[in-house]
Amino acid sequence: MTVRHHRACSRVGIVVAVALLGAGCGQASTTVDQTRPAFADEFDGPPGAAPDPSIWRPDVGGTGWGNEELQYYTRGVNTALDGRGNLVIEAREGSDGHSCWYGRCRYTSGKLTTRQRRGVAFAQSYGTFEARIRMPSGAGLWPAFWLLGENIDAVGHPAAGEIDIVETLGARTDSVEQHVHGPGLDFGAEFRLPAGQSVTDWHTYAVEWAPDRITWLVDGQATRTLTRAEAGPGWVFDHRFYLLLNLAVGGEWPGSPDRDTVFPARMLIDYVRVYPGERY
């Protein structure tokens, strides 16, 4: 999901990190339990409840987000818990009174980030970042789970770095996109799911990120790796990154919805977990 602070110790709804790699917050433990998440949100709560505002902040607007996207990201109207342990990000037809870069908005949707207006609720360098997600299908739908460098305000994009753990293009239900971006670096490609599987099924998407490489995984199976040596000067992945979840509609890459795209379209997230080291 290419994009054209002050640090704060992590406060996490269910798990609070004992120590975070590179966090620089307070007195860290000298021993980190690699099997326990440094961050986890299981999205438990009553139906219609907002995701924990101490963790997640809506990213709001209809600017096109550098990709000529068609949706307006609302202040939480399109993001809620379903009461069954899932976060739902819902894309809907209609403007709901909002204006977009092209005029009256045709769609609304949701985008959440662990970057708060003042500080960051959660960011980490290195480790395993994973989420269990069920994606929507339909032309023009573009859901994503991804990471951005915490220093983006200071250095901009792509210098801050971007790690796209998973993106899907709604018309292609048999494959997922896995990419990274840095200065002069655009690495990645699609991964075809095993025969008979679809992005509309539940899958666990992850990256294992170490000082010398980034490996993508689907359901625990490694699908591709980028090494520091291969990235060369484009390797800007030695600082903390924060989390993003969103469901875009339209844009240069996926194209626009067509008559067969069904709204409302829903991206379901069972959990997001981040471990301090390699898990797989």
Side-chain angles (χ1 to χ4, degrees):
M1 177 64 66
T2 304
V3 186
R4 301 276 178 242
H5 307 313
H6 168 60
R7 291 184 176 180
C9 289
S10 303
R11 180 186 172 193
V12 185
I14 298 173
V15 177
V16 178
V18 175
L20 298 180
L21 297 178
C25 292
Q27 183 63 43
S29 170
T30 57
T31 302
V32 177
D33 185 349
Q34 303 287 330
T35 65
R36 294 184 56 130
F39 170 101
D41 197 339
E42 307 294 327
F43 301 114
D44 293 323
D52 188 341
S54 72
I55 304 172
W56 302 102
R57 179 180 69 84
D59 222 352
V60 177
T63 63
W65 303 92
N67 305 299
E68 297 186 2
E69 297 166 32
L70 302 176
Q71 80 289 331
Y72 185 96
Y73 288 132
T74 64
R75 295 187 182 279
V77 175
N78 298 71
T79 54
L81 306 184
D82 67 359
R84 296 187 294 273
N86 304 309
L87 168 67
V88 180
I89 302 179
E90 185 172 273
R92 305 170 184 168
E93 281 189 298
S95 71
D96 199 20
H98 298 294
S99 295
C100 288
W101 60 274
Y102 55 87
R104 186 177 178 84
C105 298
R106 293 167 54 194
Y107 308 96
T108 62
S109 192
K111 179 181 181 183
L112 296 171
T113 170
T114 60
R115 177 186 175 189
Q116 300 288 342
R117 294 193 181 280
R118 297 181 180 178
V120 177
F122 179 81
Q124 179 173 298
S125 56
Y126 314 134
T128 302
F129 296 69
E130 71 175 25
R132 184 169 181 260
I133 305 174
R134 183 176 169 185
M135 302 292 194
S137 65
L141 299 178
W142 184 10
F145 170 43
W146 50 305
L147 313 175
L148 278 175
E150 186 183 37
N151 61 340
I152 192 166
D153 283 347
V155 303
H157 185 279
E162 174 181 338
I163 302 173
D164 299 319
I165 299 172
V166 61
E167 303 170 273
T168 67
L169 306 177
R172 290 192 238 156
T173 59
D174 63 346
S175 60
V176 300
E177 298 288 340
Q178 303 167 321
H179 297 265
V180 294
H181 304 282
L185 175 67
D186 292 295
F187 171 88
E190 73 174 15
F191 167 72
R192 187 69 60 86
L193 295 171
Q197 296 187 16
S198 168
V199 300
T200 61
D201 304 324
W202 286 106
H203 292 284
T204 301
Y205 303 103
V207 292
E208 288 186 331
W209 168 23
D212 62 344
R213 70 191 182 282
I214 299 170
T215 298
W216 285 258
L217 304 99
V218 176
D219 296 328
Q221 300 300 310
T223 57
R224 76 184 73 251
T225 296
L226 172 70
T227 67
R228 187 186 195 105
E230 289 171 327
W235 182 274
V236 288
F237 307 106
D238 292 317
H239 58 271
R240 304 200 318 161
F241 279 55
Y242 61 90
L243 314 178
L244 302 100
L245 291 161
N246 68 286
L247 173 52
V249 181
E252 297 170 341
W253 194 14
S256 296
D258 61 24
R259 67 180 64 185
D260 296 322
T261 306
V262 176
F263 291 95
R266 297 181 179 93
M267 174 185 182
L268 274 64
I269 303 96
D270 179 21
Y271 61 77
V272 176
R273 299 172 186 159
V274 182
Y275 295 82
E278 295 181 4
R279 181 164 180 254
Y280 293 98

